[in-house]
Amino acid sequence: MNERDLAGLIDRVKTGRLSRRTFVQRMAAVGLTAPMATQLLAIGGVAMAQNKRPVYKPTKRGGGGLLKVLWWQAPTLLNPHFATGTKDQDGSRLFYEPLAGWDADGNLRPILAEAVPSLEDGTLAKDGKSVIWKLKKGVTWHDGKPFTADDCVFTWAYARDPATAALTVGSYKDVTVEKVDDHTVKVNFAKPTPFWADTFVAAAGCIIPKHLFDAYTGAKSREAPTNLKPVGTGPYMFKDFKPGDLVAGVINPNYHQPNKPYFDAIEMKGGGDAVSAARAVLQTGEYDFAWNLQVEDEILQKLEKGGKGTVVFAKGGGCEHIQLNQTDPWTEVDGERSSLKTKHPTLQYPEVRQALAMLVDRDSVEKYIYGRTGVATANFVNGPPKFTSKNTKFEFNVDKAADILEKAGWKKGSDGIREKDGKKLKFVYQTSINQPRQKNQAIVKQACQKAGIDIEVKAVVASVFFSSDVANPDTYPHFYCDLQMYNNGPQQPDPEVYLRQFLSTEVAAKANKWQGRNITRWQSKEFDDAHKAAQIELDPVKRAALLIKCNDLPVDNHIVIPVVARLGVAGVKHKLVAELSGWDNNTWMLADWYREA
């Protein structure tokens, strides 16, 4: 379908000659998901359809008692702009909110905004260079101070300041934000920006109060007491926080949505592991909800027979993948290892990376570990379909991997380990502690051993591996080893922001307190140029092609080895109604959670 045909279809929807449903069906026929079809209509000037929401019409606020949720990787801080993983983002979202979030279908839903911007009402510029957000009136912070446009402008300035070292800097550094009036802000883009719903949206978009953070900007950002004692606009107010253990909140009596939330209090308990978390909901019913059940599917099915709860899945773009360090993790330069001033002794060679990719038995990982919860993949971007590459493929072949190394001069020594020019193929391969990941490590280690590569597996406690502690060398952003594995994915139905983790400008380093997204430290002008072009390409077909290229480059160069495309997996106690989205945080719509009678 060319641009002219697409424009014609959108025009027919605008004039009522074609239904939305038929348009979405035609887009699906050419590989676009319903969320992306909806975004095309919005860009084309068609008002966004009303989202289907669960039938929930509360008549009063509170009365639901205590909501007990289990995050086996516990939050370590409660500032959403310092959150290095979903557990910190999810914990922060108990208290903080963005202007809008993404529902399960990939549609924007207003939260602190009055409505979603659109071309129809003039809040979305036709040239793609600005968007106007109108804020809800009457919203107050938990301490009673009014929420205004000043807080939005402050959040932008705070996050974009390099000295703040915010993980969300990529969503703010290339835009300018101006106050139009007390309840209106305008986000300006230096160039046409097809994916404008980034700044102030979803996990990276949480607004923080100017009056409490103003004295702690830049280099003082880590000193703010509010980093650990949040004051937000969300459905729950801060009660207690024990980093790595417990987050507790009480109902916000002045929450801006009438008759919400349902629960009087919330306790987010941390610690343990995914299996014990699944058991605590599905089998014993001790907790109402358990997050991120990365457990063998066979075990989940057995636990569901306990009769207390069920497993629910949220489709998004999550990818369990192995990263290959492009720098030397064993040599310290200017007080840091894995420095850009170094090259990895052996992973710098393409044939070594290619062989390693061929030694990952993805089909077995899917079959024997993930089952319903993960599908073997060759892609880093696994959704929506419009952005999923058809160019990549994977192959598991020990003999072929060994042959590639042999021809490149990597010969087996007396100990069976291949070496060349005095460098041995010996790697430390780390991940967080949980059973599926240790089994995954074992599968890779066994295949590598047959090919003459020595793998030392390292398992780090999840609360440390995903910690926001900049002083801890075992966190994944430090990447002080050769290989590491974990899961992440886009938190919006567009992979542009997600793919920033391969940009040369996003390298995690001591200078930015290891808050950069580029953990592998890969440097590629070709990737940088393609990503830069995608940021301003308004033609959806051309833009999708550029972002697919941004998937293919790190995959084909074996900078990352995708293993399985993972679904979001949670345990939910019977009668609890929890609206989840694979494109946003688990706690994104916590105000709408309730228990059926």
Side-chain angles (χ1 to χ4, degrees), residues 575-587:
K575 295 190 176 182
L576 175 68
V577 179
E579 185 179 359
L580 304 179
S581 170
W583 303 113
D584 211 323
N585 292 120
N586 284 270
T587 48

Side-chain angles (χ1 to χ4, degrees), residues 566-577:
R566 283 181 52 196
L567 296 176
V569 184
V572 178
K573 192 174 180 180
H574 289 321
K575 295 190 176 182
L576 175 68
V577 179

Side-chain angles (χ1 to χ4, degrees), residues 515-584:
Q515 296 295 291
R517 302 178 193 226
N518 187 342
I519 309 300
T520 63
R521 281 79 164 176
W522 182 52
Q523 306 280 283
S524 168
K525 185 178 184 302
E526 186 178 6
F527 179 92
D528 293 346
D529 289 345
H531 194 276
K532 184 178 180 180
Q535 292 173 24
I536 60 173
E537 180 54 70
L538 295 178
D539 182 320
V541 176
K542 293 178 181 177
R543 183 167 181 273
L546 286 166
L547 290 173
I548 285 173
K549 181 178 182 180
C550 289
N551 168 86
D552 294 352
L553 283 169
V555 169
D556 291 344
N557 283 283
H558 311 296
I559 306 305
V560 289
I561 304 172
V563 183
V564 291
R566 283 181 52 196
L567 296 176
V569 184
V572 178
K573 192 174 180 180
H574 289 321
K575 295 190 176 182
L576 175 68
V577 179
E579 185 179 359
L580 304 179
S581 170
W583 303 113
D584 211 323

Side-chain angles (χ1 to χ4, degrees), residues 419-480:
E419 62 179 292
K420 179 181 178 181
D421 299 330
K423 299 175 182 177
K424 286 182 174 288
L425 295 185
K426 300 181 69 172
F427 303 112
V428 175
Y429 172 24
Q430 75 175 11
T431 188
S432 63
I433 293 177
N434 74 37
Q435 205 167 30
R437 286 192 172 134
Q438 270 65 76
K439 287 189 174 182
N440 200 336
Q441 282 181 313
I443 289 173
V444 174
K445 178 182 174 71
Q446 184 179 40
C448 285
Q449 188 174 22
K450 291 178 181 177
I453 298 174
D454 182 63
I455 296 288
E456 176 188 337
V457 296
K458 178 180 178 182
V460 183
V461 175
S463 60
V464 172
F465 189 67
F466 294 105
S467 170
S468 302
D469 183 2
V470 298
N472 195 318
D474 283 330
T475 68
Y476 77 90
H478 282 78
F479 201 178
Y480 282 179

